[in-house]
Amino acid sequence: MYIQEYLHRNVKSVAMPLAMVVGAVLCRPVSAADDWSGHMVTPVLIFLMLFVTFCRVKPREMRPSMLHVWLLAIQIAGCVAVYLALRPLNAVVAQGAMICILAPVAMAAVVIAGMLGADVATMATYSLLCNMAVAVAAPVVLSFTGNGECTFAQILARIAPLLIMPFAAAQFCRLIVPRAAQWVGNHGQISFYIWLLSLAFIIGRTTCFLLDHNEADRTVEAALAAAAFLICIAQFAIGRRLGRRYGDVVAGGQSLGQKNTVLAVWMSQTFLDPISSVAPTAYIVWQNFVNSYQIYRKDKQKAEQKGS
């Protein structure tokens, strides 16, 4: 019995690193399956994941707060400041670091934050606000840091379907079939396992990209990965400190630290030097190691409370 409880408590903490390893090892089959589907696997999985989570959220519970204002201000001002600081050293590293800060909060952050005990309504509110704000700010920022071809419509087209549609569908179900919506909301852990499958596909695609574009300077790639690591740790730490001030440590950390790396990689490859996408690709790994550690700590605390 003890062994079963131990395995159950730790499976979530090792699941994300395992999903990344599976995606990297099976990158070619994963990429082929994604190509065969017309690149629809990840969007469909993210839609389902958010639908499950949003079934727990009531619109009247979603209220902007000063925490959201501070998080947005740090995100927008921070990406510009980091770019200007690193630009004299290396333009590509500056672009990669900048995009790791500019990228909006991940769609999955609502799921992970809920597992860690954050207020889901707070996270859902910031997810909507942040993604819309980045859709407005990104074309401006990328116009002077990239090739100048980014538009509001392009960014919004990548964000809106995966953000607004699952929220609208969940609220529709809450009105029309409330019992079904309640059942889905009560089984929110489903969204975590959907996220694991999505993560394997994301890692598989990005691994293929790195293998097929090996012309980059290894020193630059290492610098991009290191910059992503430092920014990841800093954003989680700053977000948690802000969250503590406003009564939700986890929501603050996940809102600022967990990024929509799929969008970040796309923006890097489309509007910046494609090699700069190494930074958000590395960020995928770093943020999921942080999430795995947080889930491990949370489950360990729960086990200790049960035992006491």
Side-chain angles (χ1 to χ4, degrees):
M1 188 65 179
Y2 175 79
I3 295 175
Q4 288 180 336
E5 290 179 356
Y6 179 84
L7 290 175
H8 177 73
R9 189 173 70 242
N10 288 279
V11 67
K12 288 187 292 185
S13 60
V14 301
M16 281 185 280
L18 182 60
M20 289 189 288
V21 171
V22 170
V25 172
L26 301 178
C27 62
R28 295 301 181 187
V30 164
S31 184
D34 190 56
D35 291 339
W36 177 81
S37 70
H39 303 292
M40 287 301 296
V41 173
T42 301
V44 169
L45 291 174
I46 291 176
F47 177 93
L48 293 173
M49 175 182 62
L50 288 180
F51 172 78
V52 171
T53 302
F54 285 151
C55 279
R56 299 166 54 192
V57 178
K58 298 177 182 178
R60 65 175 178 270
E61 296 175 345
M62 299 175 63
R63 299 186 184 91
S65 68
M66 282 305 298
L67 172 61
H68 299 145
V69 174
W70 278 109
L71 290 170
L72 283 173
I74 290 172
Q75 187 170 336
I76 302 302
C79 73
V80 175
V82 166
Y83 176 81
L84 293 176
L86 295 179
R87 177 67 179 81
L89 302 176
N90 188 288
V92 177
V93 174
Q95 289 180 344
M98 178 271 297
I99 209 69
C100 287
I101 303 174
L102 176 64
V105 62
M107 310 297 184
V110 182
V111 177
I112 303 299
M115 291 174 57
L116 293 171
D119 184 83
V120 176
T122 298
M123 287 297 305
T125 303
Y126 186 71
S127 182
L128 291 168
L129 290 174
C130 180
N131 279 274
M132 293 301 105
V134 170
V136 175
V140 178
V141 174
L142 295 177
S143 66
F144 71 86
T145 61
N147 57 26
E149 298 176 0
C150 182
T151 66
F152 170 78
Q154 286 175 307
I155 302 296
L156 189 63
R158 301 283 299 202
I159 292 174
L162 293 182
L163 187 66
I164 297 173
M165 289 175 62
F167 180 79
Q171 300 314 310
F172 178 80
C173 286
R174 286 174 59 85
L175 291 173
I176 304 302
V177 281
R179 288 186 179 180
Q182 184 178 6
W183 184 91
V184 172
N186 290 339
H187 293 78
Q189 66 271 19
I190 297 171
S191 57
F192 175 71
Y193 297 100
I194 298 174
W195 165 239
L196 291 179
L197 186 56
S198 174
L199 180 60
F201 270 86
I202 293 168
I203 291 293
R205 282 186 6 229
T206 51
T207 300
C208 281
F209 173 81
L210 293 176
L211 292 175
D212 295 337
H213 295 77
N214 55 6
E215 69 277 4
D217 186 336
R218 297 303 181 193
T219 303
V220 173
E221 289 185 334
L224 285 164
F229 173 77
L230 294 174
I231 289 169
C232 178
I233 300 301
Q235 289 190 129
F236 271 102
I238 294 170
R240 288 179 67 86
R241 176 166 291 189
L242 270 175
R244 184 175 292 108
R245 181 177 179 181
Y246 290 96
D248 199 330
V249 176
V250 175
Q254 298 306 121
S255 295
L256 196 61
Q258 190 169 347
K259 296 295 187 176
N260 185 343
T261 46
V262 175
L263 181 66
V265 169
W266 172 75
M267 288 192 294
S268 299
Q269 294 175 359
T270 306
F271 307 114
L272 305 173
D273 187 315
I275 303 303
S276 67
S277 65
V278 171
T281 298
Y283 199 100
I284 299 173
V285 178
W286 305 138
Q287 75 177 7
N288 282 291
F289 275 122
V290 172
N291 285 335
S292 296
Y293 176 71
Q294 290 185 116
I295 291 171
Y296 167 76
R297 286 287 302 274
K298 181 69 175 179
D299 289 345
K300 185 177 180 182
Q301 289 172 0
K302 284 183 179 179
E304 291 173 350
Q305 289 171 359
K306 280 186 178 181
S308 61

